[in-house]
Amino acid sequence: MIYHCIRFTLKPGVSETEKAAGLAQMGEHINAIPAIKARVVGPDFGGEFDYGAVTVLEDIEGYEQYMNHPAHLAMDRAGLPLIDRFVSCDVTDDPDPEIGAKIADVHRRRFENVPDVAELVAGLGEYTGSAAPDPMR
């Protein structure tokens, strides 16, 4: 299993309507993306971020399907312009010693193949973690 975790803060001025619509869209991923085994989206307590999400995926193939699914890309296009700071991490019990490199490759290919999403990521105030492009890690 791979637990993909994200935490983020919104830009100042994002309306309550925009927040609610974005969080609802994130929450619907479990119904739209078959690779997702479980998912939680909501406020982030005990840290310096506003919201977070944890997505559970079976394996690296499911991880790549999730990252490149049209519903996920639509969320990126709608949500990234609202985000100021973003961090991601992945926790896994996969015994493959190369799993970290494979996760990084999924993101590298995604940013190469979907340049408009890569451009939105480049426009974030801060983006660190397992999903960040190499220069931003």
Side-chain angles (χ1 to χ4, degrees):
M1 290 290 179
I2 301 172
Y3 285 66
H4 178 66
C5 311
I6 64 169
R7 304 171 82 192
F8 56 93
T9 59
L10 298 171
K11 291 179 178 174
V14 173
S15 73
E16 290 300 319
T17 302
E18 290 171 313
K19 286 181 199 176
L23 292 170
Q25 187 175 1
M26 290 177 69
E28 283 301 312
H29 279 180
I30 193 158
N31 299 318
I33 305 174
I36 296 175
K37 300 301 178 196
R39 181 168 171 91
V40 62
V41 176
D44 185 322
F45 296 102
E48 55 192 54
F49 295 91
D50 299 328
Y51 297 96
V54 178
T55 304
V56 180
L57 304 146
E58 181 78 30
D59 52 28
I60 193 67
E61 290 79 18
Y63 190 93
E64 186 152 18
Q65 290 169 14
Y66 164 68
M67 287 295 164
N68 294 293
H69 192 280
H72 189 271
L73 296 174
M75 180 71 248
D76 286 340
R77 291 178 178 116
L80 287 171
L82 307 178
I83 292 175
D84 182 31
R85 296 176 52 238
F86 188 99
V87 64
S88 65
C89 72
D90 293 291
V91 178
T92 182
D93 60 357
D94 190 316
D96 182 348
E98 300 298 321
I99 192 67
K102 290 178 180 177
I103 289 170
D105 283 346
V106 166
H107 292 287
R108 181 189 48 74
R109 285 191 298 274
R110 186 168 102 96
F111 292 133
E112 286 175 1
N113 296 331
V114 192
D116 65 310
V117 170
E119 188 174 313
L120 290 171
V121 166
L124 295 175
E126 180 183 320
Y127 187 178
T128 59
S130 61
D134 285 335
M136 298 181 84
R137 286 186 185 173

